Amino acid sequence: MLVPIITGMLLMFVLTLGILYTYHAIKTHKEATRLNVPGTLVDVGSYRMHVFQAGQGEKTFIFLAGLGTTSPFLDFKPLIERIKPHAKVIVLERAGYGFSGRTRTNRTISDVVEDYKKALAALNIEGPYWLV
């Protein structure tokens, strides 16, 4: 007698999770289509990397984020505002960060560095530059 009740509750739980997951996926997709990307999306192979550029001057600073940030561009924005009157500022957002796309392939440090090189080459950004 208890087995049908538990089975029914388990089925309702799984069904509720499925509905919530589907709702979240649809809303996430809708939000992504409405975002105004502040920089340029550059094709680096398995995804499109977001590259933000601002400022002018002889020196070029390239900002690279470590782990644990959702949007390097937004994290660096206060610093960008202070530096851009004096130098060029570029923010590279690797796969899965900020406005960059996602990739299904595992990313090694070598892969990430190659993506950075491709993005800089595609936008004709040449050295020397300072990595931050």
Side-chain angles (χ1 to χ4, degrees):
M1 175 112 171
L2 194 57
V3 173
I5 293 172
I6 293 174
T7 304
M9 289 175 62
L10 186 60
L11 183 61
M12 288 298 292
F13 178 74
V14 170
L15 184 62
T16 301
L17 281 180
I19 290 170
L20 289 174
Y21 175 81
T22 303
Y23 176 78
H24 177 70
I26 291 169
K27 286 294 190 181
T28 301
H29 180 71
K30 276 187 174 181
E31 285 179 10
T33 59
R34 285 192 231 153
L35 288 176
N36 293 327
V37 179
T40 305
L41 293 175
V42 179
D43 186 6
V44 293
S46 61
Y47 70 101
R48 291 176 16 161
M49 178 184 286
H50 176 239
V51 180
F52 177 80
Q53 300 180 67
Q56 11 182 341
E58 286 185 32
K59 292 183 179 174
T60 301
F61 293 94
I62 297 181
F63 286 80
L64 308 174
L67 298 175
T69 182
T70 54
S71 177
F73 162 72
L74 292 175
D75 285 351
F76 291 131
K77 191 167 183 175
L79 189 55
I80 292 167
E81 293 300 317
R82 297 197 69 164
I83 295 174
K84 75 179 184 181
H86 312 287
K88 292 179 215 165
V89 180
I90 298 166
V91 180
L92 300 174
E93 295 182 333
R94 64 184 182 198
Y97 286 76
F99 294 94
S100 288
R102 299 188 187 281
T103 181
R104 295 183 189 269
T105 60
N106 290 332
R107 313 300 296 155
T108 65
I109 291 295
S110 297
D111 295 330
V112 173
V113 170
E114 286 304 312
D115 292 347
Y116 289 154
K117 288 179 182 178
K118 288 177 187 175
L120 292 171
L123 295 172
N124 297 317
I125 299 168
E126 297 178 358
Y129 37 75
W130 299 67
L131 293 179
V132 181

